Amino acid sequence: MLLCIDCGNTNTVFSIWDGTQFLCTLRTSTEHQRTADQYYVWYSTLIEHHGIPADITDVIISSTVPRVVFNLRVFADRYFNTRPIVVGKAECLLPHDPRVDEGTAVGPDRLVNTAGAFDRHGGNLIVVDFGTATTFDVVAEDGAYIGGVIAPGVNLSLEALHMAAAALPHVDVTKPPAVIGTNTVACMQSGIFWGYVGLVRGISEQIRAEYDKPMKVIGTGGLASLFAQGDGLFDTIEDDLTMHGLTVIHAYNEENGAL
């Protein structure tokens, strides 16, 4: 079985793939000081709780936090006796090489989302990922990542608003009942929700105009389903897009003898 690990700036997600489906998905906060042994204690406790077989044969890692990769490598080697594939490293093959400015390092999460989206929907896509940052990935007709947009994440914007304006409270991210708020919380919720609806719609329209071809917009990330309520922003929502992309990249490396 394949263990897929997606390490983001805020959370790290572990999913077990048996070749046809994900058996379970586990989530923990991203902490660069967490050791391989600590990962295993957390992981094995939850696996036992879910009653999932522990026979992991392969591990693939995507991480936007370089400092955690070493301990995740040790975790895979020590407890599963396998050398993990790390997306973005030279030894990890990609189904389609990105076409960006020379010397540009493309985030592993964006490469993985590109691979997963192309496998499911073909090319000419905009993938909008609601994470710590809100990213827009442009997938060409042949499946290559050709660039995109990085905007502040929703929760990051809320935190900045709270920190910069002491009188403004922390609020939940939700769709407000009306655009015009009649109290502070409602005003903030409206600003965040409709502000990001406008951001996604506006950037997607600009990308389409510049790309000059019909494009599907794919939403992913924890808040994608919430913003899907914003008047047809997305053609579809893919909750497991990143994990699916990891299985696609692993299969490609397996087929091409890189494992």
Side-chain angles (χ1 to χ4, degrees):
M1 287 193 292
L2 172 66
L3 176 60
C4 300
I5 303 176
D6 172 39
C7 179
N9 290 293
T10 305
N11 292 312
T12 299
V13 181
F14 290 60
S15 287
I16 298 175
W17 174 253
D18 70 355
T20 59
Q21 63 180 336
F22 288 107
L23 300 181
C24 74
T25 296
L26 313 172
R27 187 180 299 268
T28 185
S29 58
T30 298
E31 298 175 6
H32 69 266
Q33 71 271 25
R34 184 172 294 174
T35 67
D37 298 332
Q38 289 173 319
Y39 276 117
Y40 185 71
V41 169
W42 167 81
Y43 169 85
S44 60
T45 301
L46 290 177
I47 288 300
E48 183 178 352
H49 172 76
H50 286 285
I52 303 297
D55 51 340
I56 299 297
T57 57
D58 297 274
V59 178
I60 183 168
I61 300 168
S62 169
S63 177
T64 58
V65 186
R67 295 175 70 183
V68 306
V69 173
F70 174 78
N71 284 328
L72 288 172
R73 283 183 182 271
V74 174
F75 165 73
D77 180 65
R78 180 177 297 167
Y79 291 104
F80 303 118
N81 194 32
T82 185
R83 183 172 181 267
I85 302 174
V86 180
V87 178
K89 300 297 183 183
E91 63 272 17
C92 178
L93 304 179
L94 297 173
H96 304 89
D97 290 329
R99 293 196 294 273
V100 293
D101 293 344
E102 186 176 352
T104 299
V106 180
D109 54 333
R110 311 186 83 173
L111 297 173
V112 171
N113 283 348
T114 295
F118 181 73
D119 183 68
R120 284 182 169 168
H121 302 283
N124 297 332
L125 305 174
I126 303 168
V127 181
V128 184
D129 189 352
F130 293 89
T132 304
T134 301
T135 59
F136 297 72
D137 303 326
V138 181
V139 183
E141 188 171 3
D142 64 354
Y145 170 86
I146 59 170
V149 175
I150 301 175
V154 176
N155 287 310
L156 189 63
S157 295
L158 274 172
E159 185 65 24
L161 191 61
H162 171 72
M163 294 295 292
L168 297 180
H170 285 288
V171 298
D172 294 331
V173 183
T174 187
K175 181 180 179 180
V179 176
I180 302 172
T182 55
N183 57 69
T184 301
V185 170
C187 289
M188 292 176 67
Q189 289 174 333
S190 184
I192 288 293
F193 181 84
W194 292 111
Y196 272 86
V197 167
L199 180 144
V200 172
R201 178 176 290 112
I203 290 178
S204 296
E205 288 175 354
Q206 290 296 321
I207 291 173
R208 282 189 172 116
E210 189 171 298
Y211 192 73
D212 198 25
K213 290 182 182 178
M215 305 180 81
K216 288 183 179 179
V217 181
I218 313 299
T220 191
L223 293 173
S225 57
L226 170 66
F227 285 97
Q229 301 174 52
D231 298 333
L233 285 183
F234 309 113
D235 291 288
T236 188
I237 299 292
E238 298 279 3
D239 292 330
D240 64 344
L241 184 64
T242 301
M243 288 301 167
H244 177 67
L246 286 172
T247 68
V248 170
I249 293 174
H250 178 267
Y252 184 79
N253 280 263
E254 195 170 45
E255 291 164 3
N256 288 274
L259 300 181

